[in-house]
Amino acid sequence: MAAPSQYVLPNDLPVALLDCSEAFLLLSAEEKLYTHYLSRASFYGGLIVLFQTSPESPAIYILFNRLFRTQEPAELQSVALGQGLKEEEYQALLVYAAGFFANMGNYKSFGDTKFVPNVPKEKLEKLIRASNAFLKDPEGMESLWRTVADQMYSLEPAERQLGLGDQGITTYFSGNCTLEDAELAQKFLDSKSLSAYNTRLFKTLDESGKSLYEVRLASVNREERAASPSDMSEILGSFEHEGHQIRVTRGDYSPLLRRVRDNLENAKAYASNDNQRQMLEEYGRSFQEGSIKAHKEGSKYWVQDKGPIVESYIGFIESYRDPFGSRGEFEGFVAVVNKSVSARFAQLVSAAEKLVSSLPWPAYYEKDSFLRPDFTSLDVVTFSGSGIPAGINIPNYDDIRQTVGFKNVSLGNVLSVGSATEREKLTFLREEDKDLFIKFRGPSFEVQVGLHELLGHGSGKLFVQDEKGTLNFDKETVINPETGELVKSWYKTGETWDSKFSTIASSYEECRAECVGLYLCINQEVLRIFGHEAQEAQDVLYVNWLNMVRAGLMGLEYYTPETGRWRQAHMQARFVILRVLLEAGENFVTISQTTGADGRPDAQVTLDREKIVSVGHPAIRRFLLRLQVYKSTADVERARKMYDGYSAVTDADPHRFLTLRDIIILRKEERKSFVQINTRIVGDSVDIVQYDSSPCGLIRSVLQRFPDDEEELEREMLELSCADSHFWGQQCR
């Protein structure tokens, strides 16, 4: 029986090459070597994402590596057709493998939905058994197939999406963990001022049925004790917390992090300054020991490394895919600065203090002094992880952001490829809006990303009490604008934004940053900085707001009615903004259900451009103030009530969002998958290897990432996967 369409990738999966050849060729010999080794570190670390996605992902990765490494896709196609597969079924297999490699797992990075091969399981098994990979190693391929076959195809309700407990699958927690276990572990981590970013939680039961917990840190070192003066010496070991035994261990992903560390060490020889060298030193120590403190030190050096030609960041970074919102997915990127576009962003940074002061909250809700960040446009050379964003604002450590600073990057070659749209595939807009939308979608998104990253994520103050009991604000004078009373809540010692707001933290913050972008994009100075004036500026402004409400409507794809959960932070945020603007009334935004030219149900969203300033802007102003006040004051109760209210998806009139969701899924367009280059040392220089913009090109690019140690690497990955498989009721066969 065929899987429902939302769980398979279409045969016309859009695939695009991230072209960075021009930028790379302009680098010096040393910069190319620096880029090469950082890319190696990123790609090795990116394999960790397989282990952070699903229990079966590492073995699926190895199965397809061996299958396609032994026979080129064209040669394997002949075998497939000979075994009874139709051409479209073999294409479906290529698409599945490409999608798997692009997402580094069998769940979509954007939406956290499982996808399965759109080819019958018995036909895929016949192909595998007839392949050269099977002839070469029948026992190994048989074992891999038996390990993954059922899970690769399974669409049991709890396996259709990522989630905790009965809400879905997660490998950040053992399969028997619940939300209560996650909350208990977070309280323990807060009590030790220990970050969850590089941890996983495993629960076992003793003979009496009592829960025993293991907090496992990611590190090369596996020893459960650390010698002083390492900051790990007081972290590792067994502890009692609220009547529970909790053991802090390390060594998660050890063989992979060893390769990350080694390549960072190699890159250090080609660093262009002391900040880069010390940054890499601290990152290496972090991965060696499992120390987030060391990673924070490295991040401080990174923030202080102003205007590098080659930009990079690496570690356990974004917490979107942890169902509890605290643990970081491994991510590493290396990119080359685009100087002409970066000049525009530099102008935006120069205007930032003035723009921040125009945001709708009182001055004491803003940082005491604006820390001027780097803001650059980059052409991505390498981006490892489950997906590639259009922009980034990092580091995510609150204390560094508040006192040392942060950096913003806009990923230019991702933006240019990602925003390209064909008119006939453009959905949910009026015909009269489509040409304007296509023309200005890219430019408007560049404005939105710039404002979102620099002045969205880069603005606002957290009210914090330090370990000495000192507050970073005057509780005798600071008023809460929502209540008119003195501020009564703040972040206590050990609490962070992620730990306090947990499950809503990521989406709530993305919503706040998106609102800042909408709020400030009406500023003519901002539009002028990006090169837009007169009528063009007004068109860019209109398309930016229109794009936001269209994205909010399309966000319904990422809501799961069966669990009542959102699966994607940004799309939930955009839906919330859509609800706020619908609530503003005066027919500013309208949504209607229609019938398409093909006779099937359709929908249309409109936004009255004449009312952006008079209706839309005041609505965003009011909402943005509440978002910031609740965030600053750690008022998670009011924040959750408000945010969950706007996030609710029902079939009540007038909008009938659940019915609209069915229409969105009926007409959804798959997101682009990106083909990345590889770098190779040839003699004394570094060359790049490019690939076709196709599923085959994407597969080849991944197959050629680890030419030096692929067999040893796969063996160690299988050992890691098998050692933990019992935590999810699975076993290697």
Side-chain angles (χ1 to χ4, degrees):
M1 181 173 159
S5 62
Q6 66 262 43
Y7 300 111
V8 297
L9 301 176
N11 272 11
D12 61 350
L13 178 77
V15 178
L17 173 69
L18 274 185
D19 188 7
C20 62
S21 54
E22 186 176 337
F24 188 83
L25 290 172
L26 294 174
L27 297 177
S28 69
E30 289 208 334
E31 289 165 347
K32 288 178 180 177
L33 285 161
Y34 184 67
T35 300
H36 169 75
Y37 286 115
L38 289 176
S39 293
R40 307 309 304 140
S42 297
F43 276 144
Y44 277 120
L47 296 172
I48 290 171
V49 177
L50 295 163
F51 295 85
Q52 295 178 310
T53 300
S54 70
E56 63 272 13
S57 282
I60 295 175
Y61 173 90
I62 295 168
L63 177 72
F64 282 115
N65 257 273
R66 292 183 181 177
L67 182 66
F68 289 107
R69 192 167 67 226
T70 313
Q71 283 172 289
E72 281 283 312
E75 183 185 348
L76 195 62
Q77 182 176 15
S78 300
V79 179
L81 297 178
Q83 293 299 314
L85 274 77
K86 300 172 184 175
E87 286 194 10
E88 60 268 26
E89 289 173 332
Y90 183 68
Q91 176 66 16
L93 175 61
L94 294 177
V95 163
Y96 177 81
F100 181 91
F101 288 145
N103 289 277
M104 269 296 133
N106 57 341
Y107 288 76
K108 293 180 183 177
S109 65
F110 202 88
D112 294 344
T113 307
K114 189 173 186 178
F115 56 97
V116 300
N118 195 19
V119 55
K121 184 162 80 170
E122 62 275 11
K123 287 191 174 183
L124 177 54
E125 181 174 0
K126 284 184 70 177
L127 171 59
I128 288 171
R129 292 184 181 281
S131 69
N132 282 352
F134 197 92
L135 292 173
K136 180 181 177 183
D137 180 17
E139 186 178 332
M141 290 294 286
E142 174 77 25
S143 174
L144 284 168
W145 173 248
R146 291 178 61 199
T147 296
V148 305
D150 291 341
Q151 290 306 118
M152 189 193 300
Y153 279 88
S154 175
L155 284 173
E156 291 296 317
E159 295 174 359
R160 294 173 185 170
Q161 63 281 317
L162 299 180
L164 182 58
D166 59 3
Q167 299 292 302
I169 286 289
T170 178
T171 46
Y172 287 106
F173 299 85
S174 57
N176 57 353
C177 282
T178 64
L179 180 60
E180 290 71 28
D181 295 317
E183 289 171 341
L184 173 72
Q186 189 61 58
K187 289 177 184 176
F188 166 74
L189 293 169
D190 287 346
S191 73
K192 296 291 183 183
S193 295
L194 181 59
S195 171
Y197 271 121
N198 66 340
T199 71
R200 292 199 287 173
L201 182 68
F202 299 92
K203 181 172 76 170
T204 54
L205 303 177
D206 65 13
E207 292 90 350
S208 65
K210 188 175 181 180
S211 297
L212 304 174
Y213 297 94
E214 177 192 1
V215 173
R216 190 187 299 170
L217 309 179
S219 69
V220 179
N221 288 350
R222 297 174 185 264
E223 303 86 2
E224 292 193 22
R225 296 194 180 280
S228 297
S230 168
D231 61 292
M232 305 302 295
S233 59
E234 296 181 7
I235 292 173
L236 299 170
S238 294
F239 305 88
E240 185 168 319
H241 181 77
E242 296 184 0
H244 296 276
Q245 284 297 120
I246 300 179
R247 190 163 60 103
V248 180
T249 67
R250 62 180 174 179
D252 217 358
Y253 326 120
S254 176
L256 300 177
L257 286 171
R258 173 170 52 80
R259 291 171 168 86
V260 174
R261 178 208 63 196
D262 290 348
N263 279 282
L264 292 179
E265 187 65 29
N266 290 336
K268 207 190 318 180
Y270 304 101
S272 62
N273 58 55
D274 284 340
N275 275 325
Q276 290 181 357
R277 279 183 281 276
Q278 293 183 81
M279 167 189 85
L280 296 174
E281 180 73 28
E282 293 294 344
Y283 290 164
R285 186 164 71 87
S286 169
F287 300 139
Q288 181 71 38
E289 299 183 10
S291 168
I292 288 294
K293 181 179 178 182
H295 195 268
K296 290 170 78 169
E297 289 302 311
S299 297
K300 290 177 184 177
Y301 288 118
W302 179 73
V303 170
Q304 293 162 20
D305 182 28
K306 302 290 187 182
I309 301 299
V310 178
E311 185 62 280
S312 67
Y313 196 63
I314 191 168
F316 296 87
I317 312 299
E318 302 291 356
S319 57
Y320 301 128
R321 301 184 93 192
D322 170 15
F324 194 69
S326 295
R327 288 152 189 82
E329 182 176 86
F330 194 93
E331 181 179 292
F333 78 84
V334 192
V336 181
V337 171
N338 181 317
K339 291 183 179 179
S340 59
V341 180
S342 297
R344 291 206 293 271
F345 290 140
Q347 291 180 54
L348 189 64
V349 172
S350 296
E353 285 186 77
K354 180 181 176 183
L355 292 170
V356 164
S357 68
S358 72
L359 291 170
W361 45 83
Y364 36 79
Y365 281 77
E366 194 48 67
K367 298 183 185 72
D368 298 334
S369 60
F370 183 75
L371 303 165
R372 285 175 63 97
D374 251 13
F375 195 176
T376 49
S377 176
L378 307 173
D379 284 343
V380 170
V381 177
T382 296
F383 205 113
S384 74
S386 63
I388 306 178
I392 319 171
N393 176 286
I394 40 182
N396 288 329
Y397 304 119
D398 294 330
D399 50 347
I400 294 178
R401 297 173 62 81
Q402 298 278 321
T403 59
V404 180
F406 53 90
K407 283 186 182 182
N408 302 272
V409 297
S410 174
L411 303 178
N413 53 350
V414 177
L415 271 171
S416 61
V417 172
S419 61
T421 306
E422 298 175 32
R423 195 182 198 281
E424 58 270 21
K425 292 186 177 180
L426 192 55
T427 52
F428 313 125
L429 294 179
R430 298 178 301 179
E431 285 299 316
E432 57 264 40
D433 280 330
K434 287 185 177 180
D435 289 334
L436 198 70
F437 188 89
I438 289 170
K439 182 177 181 181
F440 291 112
R441 184 187 188 186
S444 70
F445 194 48
E446 183 182 54
V447 172
Q448 179 67 14
V449 168
L451 295 171
H452 173 116
E453 301 297 347
L454 174 64
L455 301 169
H457 293 315
S459 65
K461 179 175 181 174
L462 302 183
F463 295 161
V464 176
Q465 182 180 40
D466 66 19
E467 61 277 1
K468 298 177 182 177
T470 304
L471 295 169
N472 67 342
F473 70 102
D474 186 353
K475 69 175 184 176
E476 304 300 327
T477 60
V478 174
I479 300 295
N480 182 325
E482 287 295 296
T483 64
E485 301 173 351
L486 292 172
V487 168
K488 296 179 180 178
S489 59
W490 49 84
Y491 296 85
K492 307 299 192 298
T493 303
E495 292 180 339
T496 66
W497 160 251
D498 280 331
S499 71
K500 188 73 175 175
F501 281 67
S502 65
T503 54
I504 67 167
S506 291
S507 184
Y508 187 102
E509 174 59 12
E510 294 304 331
C511 187
R512 193 183 70 88
E514 292 283 47
C515 284
V516 168
L518 288 181
Y519 186 80
L520 291 176
C521 79
I522 72 164
N523 186 297
Q524 296 303 303
E525 181 184 358
V526 167
L527 294 168
R528 200 158 40 245
I529 285 171
F530 283 90
H532 309 301
E533 298 191 64
Q535 184 58 44
E536 181 180 295
Q538 298 312 304
D539 289 341
V540 167
L541 163 62
Y542 171 57
V543 169
N544 193 38
W545 280 68
L546 181 62
N547 191 28
M548 185 63 70
V549 294
R550 177 177 180 261
L553 177 63
M554 294 170 71
L556 286 165
E557 176 190 342
Y558 301 93
Y559 175 77
T560 304
E562 293 81 3
T563 62
R565 288 181 59 249
W566 284 88
R567 307 186 312 276
Q568 215 293 317
H570 298 79
M571 299 311 278
Q572 179 184 358
R574 290 159 187 163
F575 177 77
V576 166
I577 291 170
L578 171 65
R579 291 284 309 276
V580 169
L581 295 177
L582 285 166
E583 184 182 78
E586 299 190 41
N587 285 323
F588 174 53
V589 174
T590 66
I591 301 174
S592 55
Q593 294 186 34
T594 64
T595 301
D598 57 3
R600 299 188 301 172
D602 208 340
Q604 189 175 92
V605 62
T606 68
L607 182 140
D608 189 338
R609 67 185 295 165
E610 303 302 324
K611 295 177 180 176
I612 291 176
V613 174
S614 61
V615 178
H617 198 253
I620 292 296
R621 178 187 178 88
R622 290 188 296 271
F623 182 55
L624 187 51
L625 174 62
R626 294 171 72 190
L627 287 170
Q628 183 57 50
V629 168
Y630 296 154
K631 180 182 180 183
S632 289
T633 60
D635 192 347
V636 67
E637 185 177 333
R638 283 191 176 91
R640 191 177 289 278
K641 181 179 179 182
M642 175 189 73
Y643 203 70
D644 286 349
Y646 281 120
S647 299
V649 178
T650 73
D651 223 21
D653 289 328
H655 302 300
R656 302 191 64 198
F657 287 120
L658 283 173
T659 300
L660 283 169
R661 178 182 178 273
D662 292 337
I663 296 172
I664 302 305
I665 289 174
L666 177 69
R667 297 189 175 276
K668 74 185 181 81
E669 181 183 358
E670 201 63 45
R671 289 173 63 85
K672 285 188 176 72
S673 293
F674 293 111
V675 181
Q676 299 187 53
I677 67 151
N678 283 309
T679 58
R680 292 281 179 269
I681 294 180
V682 180
D684 296 329
S685 64
V686 179
D687 291 347
I688 60 173
V689 185
Q690 296 201 97
Y691 305 89
D692 295 336
S693 294
S694 67
C696 285
L698 201 160
I699 291 168
R700 285 193 188 97
S701 72
V702 175
L703 294 179
Q704 294 177 15
R705 279 183 187 169
F706 309 109
D708 301 328
D709 60 347
E710 56 196 16
E711 292 188 3
E712 179 189 9
L713 181 63
E714 289 174 4
R715 178 180 56 77
E716 291 179 331
M717 288 172 65
L718 271 179
E719 289 173 357
L720 285 178
S721 180
C722 291
D724 288 332
S725 61
H726 66 280
F727 283 117
W728 297 279
Q730 299 182 21
Q731 60 180 347
C732 294
R733 300 174 188 273

